[in-house]
Amino acid sequence: MTRPLDGITVVSLEHAVAAPFCTRQLADLGARVIKVERPGSGDFARGYDQRVKGQSSHFTWINRSKESLALDVKQPQAKAALLQLLKTADVLVQNLAPGAAARMGLSYEALKAHNPKLIVCDISGYGADGPYRDKKAYDLLIQSEAGFLSVTGTPEVPSKSGISVADIAAGMYAYTNILSALLLRGRTGEGSHIDVSMLEAMGEWMGYPMYYAYDGAPPPPRTGASHASIYPYGPFVAGDGKTVMLGLQNEREWKAFCDTVLQRPDVATDARFCSNAQRNAHRDALQALIVQGFSALTAAQVVERLEAAGIANARVNDMADLWAHPQLAARQRWCSVGTPAGDVPALLPPGVNSAFDYRMDAVPAVGQHNAAILAELGWSAEQIDALQAPRPL
């Protein structure tokens, strides 16, 4: 079965999350991804934790279907191997420290002379120029710079996202930009340079709160798990102590909520709650009224009424609930992938395509593919052994 990126070779000088997340999406579509790692320790994300059969949860998540090539690119022979690989590669992705790739002679300008078809994607915190160019950037720092923390959390305490949202945003924009560059190359025959900034990726995702605060208007308040500007939209406690998440979008739903869920038609015409703006302004009073109405019901009974009224709702799940989610099981979204410590379950990538199946190969050990890759480049067994021999301290 042909996949969209079969025959495409991606070389990645990657670590942590942003670049590995990008390249795993490419591998899912069939690309050959050669992950260049430090000899011995490899990508430092391998050591974040030991939750998956003694392996890192981050690393297991975003490094399947890749080949690991362990090279100390500061050594002349190792750098020569990397440059040889890049002469025929289609894509180079890197998220090294600011300026590090260019100092190693791996800028787009330097590589273009040797491979005009090469697409080079640089992922950084702040971009290739500007006053913040050389500033170190980690996910939480970018969440802060982009204003994400200012709209996330409770009125008293800001909160970061529970996942690496800035890294993921940058990785996804790198992924889509590379796909676009491959399409463009198909028309022009030439490669291109992609400069992806974590700050700019998060800036795009912050579009709603930015426009909400347009021209000096007050920004959205931090409202915990509730929506900042639509009400009722968020968590409510039922009489059994369990929490139900619900969301209303329009006045038709508001009337149905009052009639069928609260069974209080009079509330729908209360002047304090006659529009979303009024409900938002009087959310404390409305919250008290809803909690009082739910106090005589179990969470299951609340959900039953919400379903009858056509009101969107959800359980407040934890990770165990997600692993066991009946919808994921029903749609057969789970498969198994290999790792150096044995097989583990993995979710298939989002999006079911009738024309192909996603590639779901193993997570590599550090340097697992050195001999095979270097032999492809024409290196002899003696040269490979010499490159991989321990170097004196």
Side-chain angles (χ1 to χ4, degrees):
M1 185 177 290
T2 301
R3 298 185 179 97
L5 297 184
D6 282 352
I8 296 296
T9 298
V10 179
V11 177
S12 190
L13 281 75
E14 59 181 29
H15 58 83
V17 175
F21 187 77
C22 163
T23 57
R24 200 216 72 194
Q25 317 304 312
L26 299 171
D28 290 343
L29 294 181
R32 180 188 189 187
V33 176
I34 299 173
K35 180 184 180 79
V36 179
E37 301 189 75
R38 300 173 183 85
S41 59
D43 180 343
F44 55 71
R46 287 181 181 271
Y48 278 174
D49 58 58
Q50 297 179 322
R51 292 291 185 134
V52 187
K53 297 185 175 183
Q55 304 164 112
S56 161
S57 53
H58 275 85
F59 193 87
T60 303
W61 164 44
I62 51 178
N63 285 284
R64 66 173 178 246
S65 303
K66 299 180 183 180
E67 298 171 46
S68 174
L69 177 62
L71 293 176
D72 179 0
V73 293
K74 295 180 181 179
Q75 301 297 327
Q77 278 187 305
K79 184 176 177 181
L82 176 59
L83 291 174
Q84 188 179 353
L85 195 59
L86 290 172
K87 282 184 179 180
T88 56
D90 296 283
V91 181
L92 169 65
V93 181
Q94 69 86 18
N95 69 331
L96 304 178
R103 289 192 295 272
M104 289 190 291
L106 301 176
S107 67
Y108 172 67
E109 291 75 16
L111 294 171
K112 182 180 179 181
H114 302 285
N115 183 355
K117 293 186 176 183
L118 184 66
I119 295 163
V120 176
C121 180
D122 297 328
I123 305 173
S124 62
Y126 296 98
D129 52 17
Y132 281 44
R133 179 191 66 185
D134 297 324
K135 192 175 177 69
K136 283 189 175 181
Y138 303 122
D139 181 84
L140 176 56
L141 306 181
I142 297 296
Q143 288 189 39
S144 182
E145 277 296 336
F148 183 86
L149 269 65
S150 76
V151 298
T152 306
T154 66
E156 297 78 23
V157 181
S159 178
K160 73 177 185 68
S161 167
I163 58 174
S164 303
V165 65
D167 281 323
I168 294 168
M172 286 305 297
Y173 283 111
Y175 166 54
T176 55
N177 270 272
I178 289 168
L179 294 180
S180 299
L182 287 167
L183 287 171
L184 183 62
R185 191 183 70 175
R187 296 180 180 180
T188 66
E190 296 183 356
S192 53
H193 179 225
I194 301 165
D195 173 12
V196 174
S197 152
M198 292 169 67
L199 177 65
E200 289 158 17
M202 280 303 294
E204 168 62 25
W205 285 16
M206 293 296 293
Y208 142 65
M210 281 200 294
Y211 279 117
Y212 190 90
Y214 180 70
D215 201 20
R222 293 193 298 269
T223 53
S226 296
H227 197 286
S229 57
I230 303 174
Y231 202 81
Y233 194 146
F236 294 90
V237 178
D240 59 0
K242 297 181 180 179
T243 299
V244 176
M245 188 73 70
L246 63 92
L248 274 67
Q249 292 283 351
N250 53 55
E251 297 311 303
R252 178 188 57 79
E253 291 185 350
W254 167 242
K255 185 176 186 305
F257 179 75
C258 294
D259 291 350
T260 303
V261 182
L262 292 181
Q263 299 184 350
R264 290 277 307 274
D266 58 298
V267 174
T269 57
D270 189 314
R272 296 173 297 170
F273 313 134
C274 64
S275 69
N276 179 66
Q278 286 294 95
R279 292 191 291 274
N280 199 40
H282 298 95
R283 64 167 59 203
D284 289 344
L286 182 52
Q287 181 186 34
L289 191 152
I290 293 171
V291 170
Q292 181 184 19
F294 285 5
S295 64
L297 304 171
T298 65
Q301 290 171 323
V302 172
V303 169
E304 185 177 355
R305 290 190 183 184
L306 289 166
E307 289 290 329
I311 303 298
N313 64 85
R315 297 181 297 165
V316 182
N317 284 336
D318 59 17
M319 291 303 97
D321 296 321
L322 184 58
W323 276 109
H325 203 292
Q327 183 67 3
L328 296 175
R331 283 174 53 80
Q332 299 180 321
R333 300 309 296 161
W334 291 103
C335 73
S336 179
V337 299
T339 78
D343 290 352
V344 297
L347 273 173
L348 290 164
V352 180
N353 194 297
S354 64
F356 69 93
D357 293 329
Y358 292 101
R359 182 180 173 199
M360 300 291 289
D361 293 344
V363 176
V366 179
Q368 178 179 337
H369 301 91
N370 271 38
I373 294 170
L374 293 171
E376 285 180 37
L377 296 177
W379 287 48
S380 67
E382 292 76 15
Q383 288 174 308
I384 294 171
D385 290 342
L387 180 66
Q388 297 184 128
R391 295 186 176 275
L393 299 176

